[in-house]
Amino acid sequence: MNSLTYKLPELTPLEKALPVSKYYTDYPLHKPNPLYSQLLDAGAMNPGDALPLDRWFDLLRPEGYDKVEYGYCMMPEGTGYIANYSVLSDRVTPEMRMWYVRWMNIHSRNLPEGCGNIRYKLWNQVDHLDHGLVDGDFKKGIYTLETLDMGGGEKPIRSVRHNFDVRDYGFPEEKYAELEKAHIGITSCWESFECPGSHLVLSITRPCPLGGVETCSREWIGYKAENGKIIRDLETPDFMLCEQYLRNVQIHNTVEQQHLATFLPELYAEYHDLPKDAD
């Protein structure tokens, strides 16, 4: 380890025996790159530059950017906001990404009990612990067990991701079709937790003008989506509604997006044609 990378938690002997474990041990987890670090060190962004929820669909466009694409802040009404921007090089294709987000929901054949999901751990060795389908059913949501402080010692928290279709919330069908035709991806979901609290997430993934693929994402902490409406979750706890928590989430998201390009091409080349539960 050096000042540019994180110290990785040790795998158990049974986890180390899995062939896939080399993608955990042999790929250092790097801290945010110098430009991200400079922005993080500058502190919270101006709330006036945040994308307001009443214009949240402004994010879903084939090109163009907001004034602030990377930053976090508390909003005047007491909710949190995070804008994240990342670029994946041409080393990582859309096919690789789609394969990985499906593959990591399946436990390896000989994964030891009580150790979480090593396939998910590959993405962020410091914070990721477990990941899978709720009761084995995608429609019931995707569960995650993780920390968000990059080894700071916080207690892991379980969350469930609930995907939804933006067209059910007012996004025009014709604009959706245009983005789909251009192979531009939309991620829309909200997260619930084992404790009270909700996060609303919206992102778009599209070709970057300078090469590769860029993702522009937004999180509104303290909101959820239900039955075609965005709802303020007044039970969202104070520990989620402070600048330190928002900064931690920003760093966590930044690190895992950076790290994906380091291991995924080799992982995909070795595993994508193997049985889904291959070790």
Side-chain angles (χ1 to χ4, degrees), residues 66-78:
D66 290 340
K67 182 177 180 180
V68 175
E69 286 290 340
Y70 187 88
Y72 65 89
C73 65
M74 288 297 297
M75 300 299 288
E77 67 271 20

Side-chain angles (χ1 to χ4, degrees), residues 20-67:
V20 75
S21 68
K22 64 178 177 286
Y23 294 101
Y24 182 103
T25 58
D26 297 357
Y27 292 79
L29 185 66
H30 290 265
K31 296 178 181 178
N33 73 38
L35 293 179
Y36 285 136
S37 295
Q38 181 178 336
L39 291 170
L40 289 161
D41 289 345
M45 61 182 278
N46 182 347
D49 294 328
L51 178 63
L53 258 177
D54 61 2
R55 293 196 295 106
W56 64 319
F57 287 147
D58 288 0
L59 181 68
L60 305 181
R61 57 197 176 199
E63 59 185 9
Y65 306 96
D66 290 340
K67 182 177 180 180

Side-chain angles (χ1 to χ4, degrees), residues 88-93 96 210-213 265:
L88 280 175
S89 73
D90 291 330
R91 271 175 44 85
V92 179
T93 65
M96 291 179 190
L210 299 176
V213 173

Side-chain angles (χ1 to χ4, degrees), residues 86 160 210:
S86 62
V160 176
L210 299 176

Side-chain angles (χ1 to χ4, degrees), residues 181-209:
K181 185 176 180 180
H183 304 290
I184 294 173
I186 297 171
T187 297
S188 48
C189 67
W190 67 278
E191 297 172 319
S192 59
F193 299 85
E194 59 188 356
C195 64
S198 301
H199 293 191
L200 179 66
V201 182
L202 184 66
S203 70
I204 188 164
T205 300
R206 63 195 186 188
C208 178

Side-chain angles (χ1 to χ4, degrees), residues 243-259:
E243 287 188 359
Q244 184 60 57
Y245 178 82
L246 301 177
R247 186 177 190 273
N248 286 349
V249 174
Q250 181 94 70
I251 293 171
H252 172 98
N253 293 343
T254 299
V255 167
E256 65 184 20
Q257 285 297 95
Q258 288 182 161
H259 190 58

Side-chain angles (χ1 to χ4, degrees), residues 5 31 42 56 92 133 148-149 171 188 240 250 257 273:
T5 60
K31 296 178 181 178
W56 64 319
V92 179
L133 303 180
L148 293 167
D149 63 349
F171 190 64
S188 48
M240 292 183 180
Q250 181 94 70
Q257 285 297 95
D273 283 334

